[in-house]
C-alpha cells in the first residue's frame, strides 16, 4: 500500500518561483544598459554550472547540475523506507511533475515579458525553483504584469490536475490520499504543489520572490521614491527570511531553510547597494535611477530613465530565484 508522503515532502515552498531572481549586482561588472538578450555578464559562476535541455517556443531551457542531484536524493529517500510505490511517487513528484510545474510558471513570466515588448534570454531550472532571464524597458506597471504572470499559471495547472483526478477517480475530487490509487494520489499531490506555489509566490512579499517583485512594483506605482522602496523591500524581506528559516527549523524542512537564507542574502545585497547610493547597479532598480545612483529624495520613481537603462533593468529570473 502507498504511504502518504511524509509531511508533504514535495518541497512546494522551495520552488518558488520568486520572482525575477537576478544574479547579485557586482560593482564594475554589471552593465545597467546592457541588452537583455546578451546578459551573460550578470550570471554568477555558480549559476553558470548548467547543461542544456532543449528549447521551448524558441527559449533555451537549461538545468543546473544540482537539480538532478536533488531528484536523486529525494528518490533515494523515498525508496529507503522499503515501499516501492512511495519511492516512485517521490521520484515523479520531485522530478517530472515539479519540473513541468516550474517550467510552465517561468513560461508565464516569459510570455508576459513578450507582451510588454521585452526580450527573453533563457529559462534555468535549479533545486530552489526556476529562473526566467528576461528584460524589458517598461515601467513599474509592466514589472507588475511580468511578476504576477508566473504565479497565475498555477490556476490552469491546478485545473488540469483536477480534471485528471476526476477522470481517474470516478468523477470524484478529494485531496484525501487513498490506498491503491497511485495515479489519483499523484494528481492530489500535484494539486497541492500548485496551490502552495501559487500562494507562496503571490502572497509572500519577500524579494526576490514574485511576491517581493509585486510588492516593490506596487510601491513604485504608489509614488514611493526609489531608494525608499528599496529600503522598505529590504526590511520586509529580511523579516520574512528569518520567519521562513524559523519555520524550516520547526518543521525540519531543509529546503525552507535554504530558501530563507537565499532571500536574506539577496535582501542584504540590495541593502549594500542602496547604502552605497548605487541602485543604478542593481538589475531591478537601475532603470528607475537618474544617471548613476539611487533616488533618495522620494516620490515618483516609476518611469525608466531611458530605453537602454530599462532594457537591462530586469535581467534576472521571475518565478524563482535570484
Amino acid at each position: 500500500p502507498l504511504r502518504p508522503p511524509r509531511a508533504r515532502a514535495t518541497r512546494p515552498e522551495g520552488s518558488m518561483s520568486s520572482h525575477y531572481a537576478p544574479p547579485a549586482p557586482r560593482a564594475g561588472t554589471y552593465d545597467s544598459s546592457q541588452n537583455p538578450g546578451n546578459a551573460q555578464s550578470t550570471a554568477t559562476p555558480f549559476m553558470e554550472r548548467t547543461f542544456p535541455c532543449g528549447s521551448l517556443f524558441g527559449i533555451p531551457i537549461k538545468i543546473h547540475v544540482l537539480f538532478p542531484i536533488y531528484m536523486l536524493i529525494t528518490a533515494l529517500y523515498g525508496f529507503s523506507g522499503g515501499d516501492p510505490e512511495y519511492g516512485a511517487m517521490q521520484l515523479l513528484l520531485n522530478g517530472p511533475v515539479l519540473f513541468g510545474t516550474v517550467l510552465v510558471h517561468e513560461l508565464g513570466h516569459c510570455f508576459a515579458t513578450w507582451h510588454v515588448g521585452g526580450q527573453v534570454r533563457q529559462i534555468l531550472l535549479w533545486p530552489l525553483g526556476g529562473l526566467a532571464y528576461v528584460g524589458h524597458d517598461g515601467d513599474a506597471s509592466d514589472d507588475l504584469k511580468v511578476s504576477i504572470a508566473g504565479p497565475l499559471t498555477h490556476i490552469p495547472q491546478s485545473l488540469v490536475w483536477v480534471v485528471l483526478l476526476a477522470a481517474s477517480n470516478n468523477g470524484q475530487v478529494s485531496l484525501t490520499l487513498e490506498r491503491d490509487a497511485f495515479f489519483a494520489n499523484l494528481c492530489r499531490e500535484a494539486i497541492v504543489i500548485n496551490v502552495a506555489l501559487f500562494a507562496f509566490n503571490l502572497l509572500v512579499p519577500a524579494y526576490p520572490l514574485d511576491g517581493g517583485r509585486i510588492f516593490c512594483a506596487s510601491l513604485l506605482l504608489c509614488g514611493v521614491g526609489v531608494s525608499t522602496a528599496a529600503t522598505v523591500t529590504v526590511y520586509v524581506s529580511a523579516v520574512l527570511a528569518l520567519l521562513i528559516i524559523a519555520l524550516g527549523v520547526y518543521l525540519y524542512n531543509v529546503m525552507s531553510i535554504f530558501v530563507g537564507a537565499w532571500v536574506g542574502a539577496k535582501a542584504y545585497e540590495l541593502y549594500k547597494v542602496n547604502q552605497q547610493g548605487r541602485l543604478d547597479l542593481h538589475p531591478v532598480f537601475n532603470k528607475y535611477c537618474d544617471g548613476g545612483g539611487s533616488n533618495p529624495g522620494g516620490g515618483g520613481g516609476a518611469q525608466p530613465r531611458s530605453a537602454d537603462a530599462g532594457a537591462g533593468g530586469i535581467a534576472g529570473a521571475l518565478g524563482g530565484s535570484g
Side-chain angles (χ1 to χ4, degrees):
L2 176 66
R3 290 181 297 168
R6 302 160 186 162
R8 297 286 184 186
T10 56
R11 181 195 54 88
E13 63 277 340
S15 297
M16 56 221 146
S17 215
S18 112
H19 101 99
Y20 295 93
R26 292 173 290 174
T29 61
Y30 183 82
D31 182 0
S32 63
S33 63
Q34 68 186 351
N35 186 309
N38 186 27
Q40 290 92 331
S41 62
T42 65
T44 62
F46 174 77
M47 298 309 294
E48 290 175 348
R49 296 170 183 171
T50 65
F51 57 89
C53 187
S55 64
L56 203 57
F57 302 102
I59 305 171
I61 310 297
K62 294 185 178 181
I63 299 179
H64 196 276
V65 294
L66 292 181
F67 191 83
I69 295 175
Y70 166 78
M71 289 177 54
L72 178 61
I73 292 175
T74 54
L76 291 175
Y77 170 78
F79 284 107
S80 65
D83 188 336
E85 286 192 7
Y86 178 74
M89 176 70 73
Q90 292 303 306
L91 178 61
L92 290 175
L93 288 175
N94 292 282
V97 172
L98 187 61
F99 181 98
T101 300
V102 176
L103 180 58
V104 172
H105 179 120
E106 301 309 323
L107 286 173
H109 292 304
C110 294
F111 292 156
T113 299
W114 282 332
H115 179 72
V116 300
Q119 300 180 40
V120 176
R121 177 187 165 209
Q122 68 179 28
I123 291 176
L124 170 64
L125 301 179
W126 68 316
L128 294 187
L131 306 173
Y133 289 87
V134 301
H136 66 81
D137 59 2
D139 57 14
S141 64
D142 291 327
D143 286 349
L144 185 62
K145 295 174 185 176
V146 176
S147 297
I148 202 172
L152 291 181
T153 64
H154 295 293
I155 296 177
Q157 289 192 78
S158 297
L159 293 177
V160 169
W161 286 109
V162 168
V163 171
L164 291 175
L165 173 59
S168 63
N169 197 38
N170 299 320
Q172 298 180 0
V173 176
S174 169
L175 294 182
T176 303
L177 298 177
E178 301 174 356
R179 294 180 180 273
D180 302 321
F182 184 86
F183 183 74
N185 286 339
L186 181 68
C187 294
R188 293 182 176 105
E189 292 286 7
I191 293 171
V192 171
I193 289 176
N194 275 278
V195 172
L197 291 179
F198 173 81
F200 185 77
N201 285 287
L202 194 63
L203 302 179
V204 179
Y207 173 84
L209 306 181
D210 285 337
R213 300 280 183 165
I214 294 169
F215 178 65
C216 180
S218 299
L219 289 175
L220 294 172
L221 286 173
C222 290
V224 176
V226 177
S227 182
T228 301
T231 299
V232 173
T233 300
V234 164
Y235 286 113
V236 171
S237 299
V239 171
L240 290 173
L242 293 175
L243 291 176
I244 294 172
I245 293 174
L247 181 63
V249 172
Y250 177 76
L251 297 177
Y252 300 101
N253 190 311
V254 177
M255 294 306 297
S256 291
I257 296 174
F258 279 132
V259 170
W262 170 72
V263 169
K266 291 302 174 183
Y268 181 65
E269 290 172 1
L270 176 57
Y271 168 79
K272 289 193 299 182
V273 173
N274 193 23
Q275 286 294 102
Q276 295 167 0
R278 295 310 307 271
L279 286 175
D280 61 305
L281 297 176
H282 195 273
V284 174
F285 291 93
N286 67 348
K287 65 178 174 179
Y288 302 120
C289 299
D290 295 323
S294 61
N295 177 17
Q303 297 294 328
R305 65 180 188 274
S306 70
D308 287 341
I314 304 178
L318 281 151
S321 39

